[in-house]
């Protein structure tokens, strides 16, 4: 636990991506199993603990600090774990030895819910303030130390001389504390088996097109598609098991069960754009947000915001990996496959016919009227490459509209931003007639 606490503390104070990667790589290489596996779980998908965490902390603090002081401190500090760590009283008698991450997980997984408070209290009594903060972050999740799940996977890959794509392709066949992952990375075991499991394959991304790119491009080398305002999604289906992955490899299947169901009898991996489609019309991104980041959705939510996937690409078909094929071949395979299978709630991203870039420029200018973000240019000869390889795919987004607003309010942020007035509310003037105007809020940002 002490090494993990130091890691979190150091990560929270380092802004550099390179520094964060080095810290995590050093920790993973110098920490033994299973603690490093539980640390990796905390930094990625979360530790699988089912605890009413806020209620437990609230109960614990009732007898350890004045409730008004606790509330005021929480408002000022902006983070519950840090507030409790700072207010927690030192024990009157010498504390027990600080448990390992594995011991904490095991004790909480096996405990009855009535024992949660006692287990957490014993752990906090054995810790200093930084260790208390790290313990509570570990148990409660939401570390907020500036590390994404992909960055943690990148650190693992770099620590052992692997490409992050290799780690991502086996990730969803693994479970904490990832002993088989570390055995493979260290050469002590085989590559984790993914056969029969729908796993994530790193997405191919587009680069913004720049003025200096145009002279080197030939229209005949590229296919063009509309760029829609949704989120990239990968649908992996095999043997009746289906998973929906976001661009970063997060499993979002539970929020879109109708899409998963439509692929239940399909063995393929498809790449596309997740949208809300109502009466054949793509709806604003805000409608899609109503369903994102949910562990479950109701029948009403599904009916009110019907999900739809506009398919771009086909990565695998049965046991065949198509990623090495050129885009033109994959597109042809996608069209034949979709015509044969016709999965519900899907269609194909239309290819836009054009002879020269001037024609595309006119279409690009008119894209706003259809609620379209812009255009995608895809080199016909490009294989499906992970990441953002320059020169293969380009995104040509339409210029944003601008609006002059009034800054109405500034509020303190949360967590690391709690000492900064970083949350802003913007408004515009509305003419109410008779020479009167009202300042109306139109948005928030930080």
């Amino acid at each position: 636990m002490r090494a993990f606490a130091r890691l979190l503390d150091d990560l929270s104070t380092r802004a550099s991506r390179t520094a964060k990667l080095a810290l995590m790589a050093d920790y993973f290489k110098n920490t033994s199993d299973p603690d490093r596996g539980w640390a990796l779980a905390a930094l990625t998908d979360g530790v699988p603990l089912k605890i009413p965490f806020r209620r437990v902390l609230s109960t614990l603090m009732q007898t350890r600090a004045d409730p008004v002081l606790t509330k005021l401190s929480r408002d000022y500090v902006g983070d519950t774990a840090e507030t409790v760590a700072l207010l927690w009283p030192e024990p009157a008698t010498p504390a027990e030895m600080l448990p390992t991450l594995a011991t904490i997980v095991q004790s909480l997984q096996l405990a009855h819910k009535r024992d949660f408070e006692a287990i957490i209290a014993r752990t906090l009594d054995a810790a200093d303030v930084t260790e208390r903060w790290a313990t509570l972050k570990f148990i409660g999740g939401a570390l907020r130390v500036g590390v994404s799940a992909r960055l943690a996977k990148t650190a693992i890959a770099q620590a052992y001389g692997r490409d992050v794509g290799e780690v991502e392709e086996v990730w969803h066949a693994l479970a904490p504390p990832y002993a088989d992952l570390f055995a493979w990375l260290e050469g002590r075991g085989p590559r984790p088996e993914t056969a029969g499991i729908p796993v994530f394959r790193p997405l191919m991304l587009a680069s913004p097109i720049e003025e200096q790119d145009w002279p080197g491009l030939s229209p005949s080398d590229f296919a063009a598609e509309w760029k829609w305002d949704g989120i990239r999604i990968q649908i992996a289906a095999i043997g009746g098991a289906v998973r929906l992955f976001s661009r970063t490899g997060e499993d979002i299947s539970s929020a879109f069960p109708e899409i998963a169901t439509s692929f239940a009898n399909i063995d393929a991996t498809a790449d596309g754009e997740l949208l809300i489609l109502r009466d054949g019309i793509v709806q604003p991104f805000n409608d899609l947000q109503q369903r994102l980041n949910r562990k479950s959705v109701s029948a009403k939510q599904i009916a009110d915001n019907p999900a739809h996937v506009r398919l771009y690409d086909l990565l695998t078909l049965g046991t065949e990996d198509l990623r090495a094929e050129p885009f033109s071949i994959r597109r042809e395979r996608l069209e034949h496959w979709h015509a044969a299978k016709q999965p519900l709630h899907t269609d194909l991203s239309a290819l836009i016919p054009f002879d020269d870039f001037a024609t595309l420029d006119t279409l690009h200018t008119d894209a706003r009227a259809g609620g379209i973000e812009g255009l995608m240019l895809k080199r016909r000869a490009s294989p499906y490459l992970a990441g953002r390889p320059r020169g293969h795919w380009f995104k040509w987004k339409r210029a944003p509209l601008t609006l002059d607003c009034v800054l109405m309010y500034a509020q303190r942020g949360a967590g690391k931003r709690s000492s900064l007035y970083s949350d802003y509310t913007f408004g515009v003037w509305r003419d109410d007639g008779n020479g009167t105007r009202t300042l109306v809020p139109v948005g928030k940002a930080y």
Side-chain angles (χ1 to χ4, degrees), residues 297-377:
V297 288
S298 66
K300 184 178 186 304
Q301 288 168 330
I302 292 174
D304 289 347
N305 294 293
H308 186 87
V309 179
R310 190 144 286 166
L311 296 170
Y312 294 142
D313 219 320
L314 194 61
L315 280 59
T316 69
L317 188 56
T319 59
E320 187 180 4
D321 192 332
L322 304 177
R323 288 176 292 176
E325 299 286 348
F327 172 75
S328 57
I329 298 297
R330 297 197 312 276
R331 174 69 195 203
E332 184 178 338
R333 296 288 297 274
L334 174 65
E335 291 173 358
H336 290 160
W337 167 81
H338 192 264
K341 295 295 184 179
Q342 297 185 343
L344 296 174
H345 313 296
T346 69
D347 62 12
L348 298 185
S349 174
L351 295 180
I352 304 168
F354 70 100
D355 296 320
D356 50 56
F357 290 134
T359 302
L360 278 185
D361 192 17
T362 301
L363 293 171
H364 175 261
T365 302
D366 296 339
R368 191 186 310 278
I372 299 169
E373 274 197 322
L375 288 167
M376 294 285 294
L377 297 177

